[in-house]
Structures are given as C-alpha cells and as structure tokens.
Amino acid sequence: MTIIDKVAWLRLEDGKVLGARSRGKDTCYLPGGKREPGESDTETLVREIAEELTVSIDPAGAVHAGTFEAPAHGKDSGTTVRMTCYTADYEGTLAPSSEIEELIWLGYADRERVSAVTRLVFDELHGAGLLR
C-alpha cells in the first residue's frame, strides 16, 4: 500500500469550511499539501498555505484537529491519503495561488463535492455541530 502524507488546514467560519479546487479538477480538497523531506507538520502547513492561499499561518497557534485516512482520490487502488488536519489563525487576504483555481466555503450539503478523506472530516465536523 502507498500512503500519501498530507497536512491540511481546517478553517471553519459560520458553519462552513474553507475548501480549495485545483485547476482542471472538479473535486474540492482542504487546503494544504504533501510534506517535504524533514519538514514538521507545522512547517508543511505554513509553507503550503502560503503557496496556495497567499496568507501566513501562525505556527505557534496551530492545533491538531485530527488525522484521517481514506483511498486517495484519482489514484490507483491501494493508494491511501493520510491527512493530518490543523486549525490555526492567519494573517493576510485569502486568494487562490499556485495550482489553486478557486477557494470556496463548503457546508455539509457539499459533501459529495469533496475527496473521500475530506468526507470523513465533514462527517466528524457535522456530528460535532461545527459544519452545517
């Protein structure tokens, strides 16, 4: 089995979660990405969010919100994504950058628009009354 190690930013506002859609894709993901060799979770989070969303994450305030595993979207059978999620404050203005075409605030009704691993996050947030 192949595991894709991803760190994601879980940003909730008004009962919705921030999602990102890459150019040419129709599925939404939580912003974040793959760890570079030797990077910690927070280093990955800060780098990826700066690249994708043009904002600065406060690494000191990053809080682990859960780790989720599911089959990787669009990959061969036997490929799993392990997504470690963090909440954190940010500075700056959110804007799509790099491979990100669109930022979108997603509610639980948008569950079918997201990857399998993100659906697990949606289910947990909805069950806790945080995602409407």
Side-chain angles (χ1 to χ4, degrees), residues 21-102:
R21 187 179 56 76
S22 297
R23 279 183 185 69
K25 306 284 180 162
D26 59 0
T27 301
C28 296
Y29 302 87
L30 294 179
K34 297 176 194 165
R35 180 188 323 270
E36 296 289 334
E39 276 186 330
S40 69
D41 285 359
T42 54
E43 289 169 335
T44 303
L45 183 70
V46 168
R47 178 183 54 77
E48 285 287 342
I49 298 309
E51 289 173 5
E52 293 182 354
L53 309 182
T54 72
V55 297
S56 298
I57 293 289
D58 174 16
V63 176
H64 181 254
T67 301
F68 304 85
E69 288 189 20
H73 180 78
K75 302 291 184 187
D76 293 335
S77 176
T79 302
T80 297
V81 63
R82 177 181 300 133
M83 187 167 69
T84 306
C85 299
Y86 287 86
T87 60
D89 289 330
Y90 71 97
E91 289 186 6
T93 301
L94 293 167
S97 184
S98 189
E99 76 272 11
I100 303 302
E101 184 168 356
E102 177 184 25

Side-chain angles (χ1 to χ4, degrees), residues 65-68 108 119-131:
T67 301
F68 304 85
Y108 193 69
R119 287 183 193 137
L120 297 176
V121 177
F122 272 38
D123 291 345
E124 184 166 303
L125 293 172
H126 184 70
L130 299 172
L131 184 64

